Structure formats: structure tokens, C-alpha cells
Amino acid sequence: MATVRERPARGGRGSSSAPAHGVAAEAGRRILLPLVLMALVTLGIGLLITKVMEHSTLVAQDEAISREIAQERTPFWNDVTHYASMLSDTPVIIVVTAIMAVLFRLVYRRWRESVFLVAAVCAQSAIFLLATVFAQRARPHVPHLDPAPPTSSYPSGHTSAAVAFYCGTALVLTLHTHRHTILKALWWLLGAGAALAVGLARLYRGMHHLTDVSWGYVLGIFCVVVLAQALLLRPLAASRRAASGRAVRGAARA
């Protein structure tokens, strides 16, 4: 009896690498491309402020706002803003991000939420550092209540980091407690409140101009939205559709 030889599977290594290429292309399209565009826009605005509009009304108004705020300082608000600003100090953000990443991994038993939070914090940090290197803006010409770090005033890294971590954490918790309105409101009250407090504190303490803090908010929100859409919301929607499909097929078989 003649035997039939099994034909080797076509594609070889190519068949296994195709999905990997597809995943990489999807990640590049949904994550890397938007972040690169945001980096270019952030850098472009920084260069516009420091090189083209250096003597413009906008820059003069920025300085006037900083001077006006400095004149209204009080010992009480000096203390309050000191602790508010500390919420987004670099060592604090590094430690709390690591802690929450570990907690998310242990509680949810997967890496998705942890990767999202770390990626959001790192993405805004990378764009912030790029802007400070090439668009070096002097800090407001008022007494500074904090030691001035070596980075420039634009954009506010404290603000963007606060949005990435505190609002990113609030988003993760909201997705897992979406049926509890009170909890959702609590997460966003704490997350958005912390980010808002940090930005106002940096402005009050003379460490950034209003435009620096404003773009810090834009940068942080952009990073959270882009990475949440790619790493949290799309996979969550796909898993819910799959679960719904399985439920329909199970009901049809019954």
C-alpha cells in the first residue's frame, strides 16, 4: 500500500512572523505615529515661543501673570502648593508608578493595565525632555519657591506627569468599576484634582509660565488618550464582543 507523504507547511518562518509584523504595524500606527506627531508639535510650539515670539504680547502676558501671582503669595498657600507640587516630583512619580504597575498586575492578573500606565508616564516624559533640550525657555522672572531643575520652563513636566499618572490611574480604576457611579466620580475627583493641583502649584511657585502649564496638560491628556485607546479600550471592546458572541452561540445551541 502506497504511503502518502505529508507536505511541509507552506510559509515556514514567514507564516509565524506575519502576525508579528501585523502587530508591530498596528502598534506603530496607533501609538508611535501619534506620539511622534505630538513630539513635533510640542517642539514646534516651543521653538515658536522662544525664537519667533520672544518679544510678543503672548510672552509678555505670560510674564505679567507670573508677576501678579507672585505678588499675591501668602505663607499658607506657599505651604499648600509645596505639597501639591511634590505630588509630581520625579522620584515620587517613579515610585508610585512602579507601585501601581505591580498592584495592577497582581489584582487584574494581566499586564495590560500596568503597561498602559508605565507607557503613558514614559511617553510624556520623553516628549517633555525632547522639548526642553531643543526649545530652552527661561523660567518666569519672579522669585522661585522651588530649586530650579536643569530642564527649561516649557513645557511643565510636573503637570504632564501628573496627568499621565493620576488621570491614567483614574481611567484604569474607572474601567474596572464602570457600574458604580460613585466610585467613578471618586476616581476622577482624585485623579483630575491631583493633576489640577500640581499645575496650579507650579504656576503659583514661579516655576512655569501659564503657557508651559497649559501645554503640560495638553501633552499629558494626549498621551493618556492615545495609549488608552490602543492598550485598554480597543482590547476591552474586542474581549466584550468575543464574550457576547460566545453567549449568543451558547444560547443558539441550547
Side-chain angles (χ1 to χ4, degrees):
M1 185 175 180
T3 59
V4 179
R5 295 183 179 178
E6 294 184 358
R7 294 182 179 180
R10 293 183 179 180
R13 295 181 181 178
S15 60
S16 61
S17 62
H21 288 303
V23 171
E26 185 74 5
R29 185 171 70 87
R30 296 192 177 277
I31 298 177
L32 293 181
L33 179 59
L35 292 181
V36 169
L37 291 176
M38 174 50 100
L40 293 175
V41 171
T42 300
L43 180 58
I45 292 177
L47 292 174
L48 184 65
I49 292 174
T50 57
K51 305 298 183 183
V52 179
M53 303 176 62
E54 186 176 4
H55 302 291
S56 67
T57 303
L58 174 65
V59 173
Q61 188 65 26
D62 254 358
E63 288 289 345
I65 292 173
S66 295
R67 287 195 300 270
E68 184 176 350
I69 293 174
Q71 292 172 0
E72 301 296 329
R73 289 173 180 166
T74 65
F76 172 77
W77 287 112
N78 290 352
D79 291 339
V80 171
T81 56
H82 167 71
Y83 293 106
S85 181
M86 284 180 61
L87 290 174
S88 197
D89 283 349
T90 299
V92 173
I93 289 295
I94 292 175
V95 170
V96 294
T97 300
I99 291 174
M100 292 308 299
V102 172
L103 287 177
F104 286 160
R105 175 64 180 88
L106 295 176
V107 172
Y108 303 130
R109 299 182 180 181
R110 62 189 184 194
W111 286 105
R112 185 186 304 162
E113 290 80 4
S114 302
V115 170
F116 156 72
L117 186 62
V118 172
V121 172
C122 290
Q124 64 78 30
S125 179
I127 296 174
F128 153 73
L129 290 174
L130 177 69
T132 62
V133 170
F134 293 100
Q136 298 183 355
R137 186 183 190 186
R139 297 186 183 275
H141 295 92
V142 298
H144 302 152
L145 297 185
D146 291 327
T151 53
S152 69
S153 184
Y154 171 87
S156 172
H158 272 70
T159 304
S160 60
V163 173
F165 173 75
Y166 293 106
C167 292
T169 300
L171 177 60
V172 170
L173 295 176
T174 298
L175 292 176
H176 287 276
T177 56
H178 63 279
R179 297 180 181 178
H180 303 278
T181 304
I182 295 179
L183 284 179
K184 289 194 300 183
L186 177 62
W187 304 143
W188 282 108
L189 178 64
L190 294 174
L196 181 62
V198 168
L200 293 176
R202 301 301 287 172
L203 182 62
Y204 175 92
R205 299 180 71 77
M207 305 309 297
H208 295 283
H209 304 89
L210 178 60
T211 51
D212 306 329
V213 172
S214 300
W215 195 257
Y217 283 122
V218 173
L219 174 57
I221 292 171
F222 184 88
C223 291
V224 168
V225 170
V226 167
L227 289 161
Q229 189 67 30
L231 301 178
L232 291 181
L233 301 181
R234 284 179 60 83
L236 180 62
S239 63
R240 288 178 177 174
R241 286 195 300 268
S244 177
R246 288 192 297 268
V248 171
R249 288 192 296 270
R253 293 174 183 173

